[in-house]
């Protein structure tokens, strides 16, 4: 059984904004974001109220798309995520170097 890590609201919003980038239905967004319908509805209402997404109704079909503000936020989140990944990689590299330095000191003494 796999253990699912708890995601932050920011990570969930990023998933929702990413899904809305292609005029998606609630079902598609829900699956892409990996959240239930109740949670999704709350996020969609919030993001729509704040101007990041818009609801588009065409007959019975309802889709959600990004506004300009939403596209800007998605782009910034993507940059933020990339920086976080690079930072994690740098931390691992530094930790490896620290281990090497410690081993070198142990060998000398």
């Amino acid at each position: 059984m796999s253990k699912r890590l708890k995601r932050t609201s920011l990570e969930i919003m990023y998933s929702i904004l990413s899904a809305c980038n292609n005029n998606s239905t609630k079902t598609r967004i829900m699956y892409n974001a990996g959240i239930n319908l109740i949670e999704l509805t709350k996020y969609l209402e919030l993001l729509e109220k704040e101007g990041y997404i818009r609801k588009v109704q065409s007959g019975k079909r309802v889709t959600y798309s990004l506004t300009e503000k939403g596209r800007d936020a998605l782009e910034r989140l993507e940059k933020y995520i990339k920086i976080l990944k690079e930072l994690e990689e740098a931390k691992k590299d530094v930790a490896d170097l620290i281990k090497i330095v410690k081993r070198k000191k142990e060998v000398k003494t």
Side-chain angles (χ1 to χ4, degrees):
M1 185 191 228
S2 69
K3 197 176 195 180
R4 189 166 181 162
L5 298 176
K6 184 172 177 160
R7 293 176 298 153
T8 65
S9 293
L10 190 61
E11 291 168 321
I12 293 170
M13 283 188 204
Y14 171 75
S15 298
I16 292 170
L17 290 173
S18 293
C20 289
N21 202 22
N22 298 317
N23 296 342
S24 296
T25 62
K26 269 189 177 182
T27 303
R28 170 83 46 210
I29 299 166
M30 184 174 66
Y31 285 116
N32 284 357
I35 58 176
N36 65 45
L37 186 59
I38 294 168
E39 259 189 300
L40 175 63
T41 301
K42 290 177 187 175
Y43 278 104
L44 289 176
E45 287 172 1
L46 174 65
L47 290 168
E48 186 177 12
K49 179 182 172 191
E50 295 297 325
Y52 291 96
I53 62 172
R54 76 172 70 76
K55 184 192 284 190
V56 180
Q57 185 146 6
S58 178
K60 291 184 178 182
R61 184 176 170 87
V62 176
T63 59
Y64 293 85
S65 63
L66 293 179
T67 61
E68 189 63 37
K69 183 178 179 180
R71 279 189 286 283
D72 184 52
L74 181 60
E75 185 178 309
R76 290 175 186 267
L77 283 168
E78 286 170 345
K79 288 178 184 177
Y80 176 74
I81 289 167
K82 181 180 178 188
I83 290 168
L84 283 179
K85 285 180 183 178
E86 289 173 358
L87 181 60
E88 277 303 309
E89 288 174 12
K91 280 183 184 178
K92 288 177 187 174
D93 291 343
V94 169
D96 289 344
L97 289 171
I98 290 170
K99 287 177 189 174
I100 291 169
V101 169
K102 285 182 178 179
R103 281 196 302 253
K104 184 179 177 193
K105 285 182 180 180
E106 289 171 1
V107 170
K108 282 187 173 182
T109 56

